[in-house]
Amino acid sequence: MSVCNLNIPFSGSAEEILNKTKTAVESQGGSFEGDSNGGTFSVSLLSNTVSGDYKVEGNVLLLNITEKPMFVPCSAIESYLTKKLS
């Protein structure tokens, strides 16, 4: 069951946005597996886990977050990712 469905538009290639995403996740001690078709991610946030899957459609990164801390709204995650990946 999905907790958040986020659409993050990007410019450039899918490989570029996925490399940025992988670097951001792994720099926080998380895991990022997949390719330009789709994959999964998991990262610790304030001793809680944020995890889910992704796919790329055109110039939009579609994130399906399946696990997150209850006190962190989807909008906060989307805002953080938009800033981090732009």
Side-chain angles (χ1 to χ4, degrees):
M1 184 169 140
S2 176
V3 174
C4 303
N5 290 305
L6 308 177
N7 299 327
I8 311 291
F10 63 89
S11 58
S13 70
E15 289 77 22
E16 290 170 331
I17 193 68
L18 293 175
N19 284 336
K20 281 185 179 181
T21 306
K22 181 176 181 167
T23 299
V25 167
E26 290 179 347
S27 72
Q28 297 295 315
S31 66
F32 186 91
E33 302 293 329
D35 57 26
S36 61
N37 296 313
T40 61
F41 61 90
S42 180
V43 65
S44 181
L45 174 68
L46 303 172
S47 300
N48 292 285
T49 300
V50 174
S51 63
D53 55 72
Y54 75 88
K55 65 181 178 176
V56 177
E57 287 187 1
N59 281 61
V60 179
L61 178 62
L62 306 172
L63 298 171
N64 178 37
I65 298 182
T66 55
E67 182 180 355
K68 71 170 191 64
M70 182 185 315
F71 60 87
V72 177
C74 294
S75 60
I77 295 171
E78 184 172 25
S79 176
Y80 173 81
L81 289 173
T82 300
K83 289 177 188 174
K84 193 78 170 172
L85 300 177
S86 62

